[in-house]
Amino acid sequence: MSNTVGKNTLLYRLVHIDNLAPLLQRGALHAPNRTPDDGLPYRTIHDVSVQANRHLHPIPCGPGGTVHDYVPFYFGPLSVMLLKLKSGQVEGYNEGQQPLVYLVAKAESLSAAGCRFVFSDGHGLARFTGWYDDLARLDAVDWSLVGERYWSDQPEDNDRQRRKQAEFLVWQELDWALIAGIAVCNEAMRLCVEEILQRFPQRHQPPVKVMQKWYY
């Protein structure tokens, strides 16, 4: 699985493995503002202060609303968030990166299925980030950077970290059947994910692959 621009633009969402069974029970991924009130547990792995700002941040195109009206994906692995989780920089999380799994989707498949979406050319909360709702504008994404392992700002380019965090946001919810694959950091996690999937034979069974290069 590698990101390309064209017919298979891959999208990456990190979730804690504890959340896989609830997602399969629901049969979909839901935006924070659309999460069903069904009592199912969900392990958050996000910075609380950042999430509070996303709850308020308006989307200027597509269906509108705020960032929390969407299911978020990145355009590449090795996100800034993953590094912070691995290095203990997110309050309340200290499990490292092993329990984190990638749910992978394809932008073109989501569009063909009728999903409404928007995407950005950088961090969603940055003041000068551009927003788009047409896949023809995917050229606005910095494809040379979104999948890179090293993305810190440099004296000659102090906008790298913002561009690295370009997002693809799916309006309200995403059917589980549109998850194209799952990636994990090692073989033990692959077996664990496959065992969880097998508990839900009525659900789509995406392939599970070990992708160590997607982890720090």
Side-chain angles (χ1 to χ4, degrees):
M1 289 186 273
S2 61
N3 214 344
T4 60
V5 180
K7 294 184 178 179
N8 290 300
T9 305
L10 298 188
L11 309 170
Y12 306 76
R13 176 167 174 77
L14 275 175
V15 301
H16 194 284
I17 193 170
D18 287 354
N19 295 332
L20 195 54
L23 293 175
L24 287 160
Q25 285 180 266
R26 291 171 176 157
L29 285 67
H30 293 88
N33 287 347
R34 297 280 295 187
T35 302
D37 185 16
D38 52 17
L40 293 178
Y42 196 87
R43 288 284 306 280
T44 182
I45 56 174
H46 301 293
D47 185 297
V48 173
S49 63
V50 171
Q51 293 304 301
N53 289 329
R54 289 173 71 87
H55 177 71
L56 300 172
H57 194 78
I59 298 295
C61 62
T66 72
V67 175
H68 268 189
D69 290 314
Y70 297 80
V71 181
F73 288 80
Y74 285 121
F75 283 107
L78 296 164
S79 65
V80 177
M81 182 182 80
L82 176 60
L83 182 60
K84 289 182 176 180
L85 289 163
K86 175 185 181 291
S87 54
Q89 297 179 54
V90 175
E91 185 177 355
Y93 185 85
N94 60 2
E95 298 178 58
Q97 57 185 349
Q98 178 168 310
L100 306 176
V101 302
Y102 284 96
L103 304 182
V104 181
K106 298 177 180 179
E108 291 76 15
S109 297
L110 271 54
S111 180
C115 296
R116 301 180 74 188
F117 61 85
V118 298
F119 60 92
S120 70
D121 60 15
H123 191 289
L125 300 183
R127 180 174 54 84
F128 48 90
T129 283
W131 288 94
Y132 313 89
D133 57 12
D134 183 347
L135 293 184
R137 293 305 318 278
L138 283 172
D139 60 344
V141 176
D142 186 345
W143 296 104
S144 68
L145 187 60
V146 290
E148 288 299 300
R149 181 176 298 269
Y150 304 105
W151 36 258
S152 60
D153 291 343
Q154 302 295 326
E156 67 277 9
D157 184 356
N158 63 3
D159 190 41
R160 286 168 55 86
Q161 186 167 330
R162 183 195 68 86
R163 300 199 312 275
K164 164 70 175 177
Q165 297 177 82
E167 299 183 62
F168 188 100
L169 307 181
V170 182
W171 176 246
Q172 295 188 337
E173 66 179 69
L174 176 66
D175 192 293
W176 178 260
L178 291 170
I179 297 300
I182 300 176
V184 297
C185 65
N186 57 38
E187 181 67 13
M189 288 299 294
R190 185 186 69 81
L191 294 173
C192 187
V193 167
E194 289 188 340
E195 188 276 327
I196 295 170
L197 288 170
Q198 289 165 12
R199 295 183 217 160
F200 301 88
Q202 77 278 21
R203 299 294 186 208
H204 165 57
Q205 302 282 306
V208 185
K209 295 185 179 181
V210 175
M211 297 295 289
Q212 291 180 320
K213 65 182 180 180
W214 289 2
Y215 292 83
Y216 288 105

